[in-house]
Each structure stands twice: as structure tokens, then as C-alpha cells.
Amino acid sequence: MSFGQGGPQSQWDPWKPQSQQQPWNSGDGDNTPDWAALAEASEARAKRRRLLFIGGGALATVAIASAVAVAVVSANGSGQASDGPSSQLPATADIPSATATEPSFAPTSAPPPLDPKDFVSSAKKDKAPLSPDLLFPGTQLTMGDTVYKKGPTADTRTCGSAAQGTLPKVLDANDCTRLLRVTYTEGDTAVTVGVAVFDTEAQAAKAKKQADKKSIVRSLSGGGVKSFCTGAVCRSTTNSYGRYAYFTVAGFTNGKNVTEKSTAVFRAGDDLAEFAFRQIRRRGEAQASAAAEG
């Protein structure tokens, strides 16, 4: 005779919260656990975990694919994803040109430098102080290996009186305003440099052109320099720069004539003519620099 309750026995399902746990068989009375049932339950739990992991990975893959699709749509600038691969670049026409945004600037140019010669080409611009000592400063002059001692100076307003031969007429005809002179010596060689001042460059250039072999500046002696080139043969030069014409006369202080073999005299005349040119040019450079700074 059975004393149990009627109806089928309730089975325990570990995934059903309402089921009653029966860790042993109903027919056994030795309280031994039903190991088969426990193994089946453990396997069921492991299977459900694997299914859950696979399902979660699939959802993550779908989410990443959706993000890539959205990125491709944004890059293409349209509401639909491109049929091409996501790494495909847009056509050249779609890429903004680098030259399209290149800035443009108005052309600029620095003012041309001032020409020093302009400042010594006319009396209107040539306003710097002028004297023999300003044009020929110091007490001596070194040209190469030769040192020339500075002698007497003179500043004559009547130009013709400081010249001889045909030069007085040339200076007067072109309205010379001043004739500055200075003498340099080296041994028994002496050179007088004469710088004639005119109002314009054209007058100085014309005076240079009209001068001939007999157009000679008068030598300047005194102050320890003996008279020279008063009756002996001497060598002379003529040139001009700007509104200045400059002349040299070179010879011996012992009265000897200058010949073709008198190389020291020729060199001295050329040195002093070169120095006169440099000093006139420097005068223009100084005035041009001052004008640029002002």
C-alpha cells in the first residue's frame, strides 16, 4: 500500500524558479544524490552560457558594422552608404584644390636707392660745406705703398687767376665759381691738384672737353714746398665728375724737366687725380646717405 500523494511527481528544473529541488531519486530512501540529474543540470547551464556569449558577440559585430556604415555615409556626404569599399578615396574633382585658397598680395617694391652722383651734379642739391681741407683732409695721403705729405692749400673765387695757359679762358667761359687747390710732395716730386666748381654737371663736362694740353692749373708752393712747374716741363691731367672738373700738374721741385722715364712723377699725378675723384664721389655718397636717413 502506497502512502504517497497522488498525481505525477514534480521534477526540479534549475532554470525554472518555481520548480522544487529534488536532489535525489523519489524511489530511493538512502538519501543518495541523483548524480545524473546534477550533471545534466550543469551541462545545461554551460550550454546556455555559450549561447549567450555567441549571441553577445554577434550583436557587437552588428554594432561595429553599423558604425562603419554610418562613417562611410558621412564621408560621402549623402544619405546612403557607398557601394565601393570604405577605403576608396573621392574623385579628384571632389578634393578641394590647394591653390584655390592661396592668398594673394599686392606687389610691393622698395624705393630705388639714391644716386650719390645726383648730389654732386648741381649746386641746388650739393649743399654740404666745401673747402680745401674738407675735400682733402689730414696731413698726409697714402696711396698703395707711397706716402705723400700734404702742403699748402688755396681757395680762389676768381678761377682764371689760379690757372695758366688756355685754362683760364675755359674756366671763365663755363662760369667757374671756385678753384680749390692743394699740393702734395714725395721726395723731390710735387703735385698740385685743382678742383674747379661749377653750378651744373653740363658746365663741368664742357670745361673738360674744351681743355687741351696747354690748359694747366697753376702749381701751388710755399710752406716748405719749393716752387715747381714754373718754367720746366711738367705733366698735367684733366677730368670731371658731377659739377666738378679736376686738374693735376706734377713735376720736380729741383727744376728738372719731366720726361717719359719720370715714372715717379706720372705715378704721383695719377694717384692724386684718383684721390680727387674718390673725394668728390664720397661727398655725394655722404649727402645721399643723409638724405635717405632723413
Side-chain angles (χ1 to χ4, degrees), residues 82-105:
S82 173
D83 294 335
S86 60
S87 61
Q88 182 177 357
L89 293 175
T92 304
D94 298 333
I95 301 176
S97 173
T99 59
T101 58
E102 183 179 353
S104 59
F105 301 95

Side-chain angles (χ1 to χ4, degrees), residues 136-143 146-151 183-185 272 275:
F136 301 98
T139 59
Q140 64 182 29
L141 169 65
T142 301
M143 297 290 287
T146 306
V147 178
Y148 299 96
K149 293 182 179 180
K150 183 180 175 182
T183 295
Y184 287 89
T185 61
L272 269 299
F275 183 61

Side-chain angles (χ1 to χ4, degrees), residues 241-271:
Y241 183 81
R243 70 185 187 112
Y244 300 90
Y246 52 98
F247 310 87
T248 67
V249 58
F252 293 107
T253 56
N254 56 14
K256 294 193 307 182
N257 291 329
V258 174
T259 66
E260 293 180 356
K261 296 181 180 180
S262 305
T263 56
V265 174
F266 279 81
R267 184 184 68 247
D270 292 342
D271 284 348

Side-chain angles (χ1 to χ4, degrees), residues 27-184:
D28 297 335
D30 58 357
N31 294 331
T32 301
D34 188 350
W35 296 111
L38 291 175
E40 290 178 358
S42 177
E43 184 179 355
R45 288 195 301 271
K47 184 176 181 181
R48 286 177 179 271
R49 289 193 197 99
R50 289 195 299 270
L51 291 175
L52 181 61
F53 177 76
I54 294 172
L59 290 175
T61 303
V62 171
I64 293 173
S66 299
V68 173
V70 171
V72 172
V73 170
S74 300
N76 289 341
S78 61
Q80 296 181 352
S82 173
D83 294 335
S86 60
S87 61
Q88 182 177 357
L89 293 175
T92 304
D94 298 333
I95 301 176
S97 173
T99 59
T101 58
E102 183 179 353
S104 59
F105 301 95
T108 59
S109 59
L114 299 177
D115 186 358
K117 190 177 181 182
D118 287 344
F119 289 85
V120 291
S121 292
S122 69
K124 293 181 179 180
K125 276 193 171 184
D126 191 9
K127 298 296 185 179
L130 179 63
S131 71
D133 289 329
L134 289 175
L135 199 58
F136 301 98
T139 59
Q140 64 182 29
L141 169 65
T142 301
M143 297 290 287
D145 297 331
T146 306
V147 178
Y148 299 96
K149 293 182 179 180
K150 183 180 175 182
T153 62
D155 186 356
T156 306
R157 300 288 175 167
T158 54
C159 298
S161 63
Q164 58 184 350
T166 58
L167 187 56
K169 182 179 180 180
V170 170
L171 297 178
D172 293 342
N174 291 286
D175 299 324
C176 173
T177 59
R178 296 171 69 179
L179 182 57
L180 290 70
R181 288 180 296 165
V182 60
T183 295
Y184 287 89

Side-chain angles (χ1 to χ4, degrees), residues 218-248:
R218 191 179 295 276
S219 63
L220 183 64
S221 59
V225 178
K226 297 179 180 180
S227 178
F228 65 100
C229 295
T230 55
V233 176
C234 290
R235 191 238 183 176
S236 64
T237 66
T238 302
N239 215 324
S240 69
Y241 183 81
R243 70 185 187 112
Y244 300 90
Y246 52 98
F247 310 87
T248 67

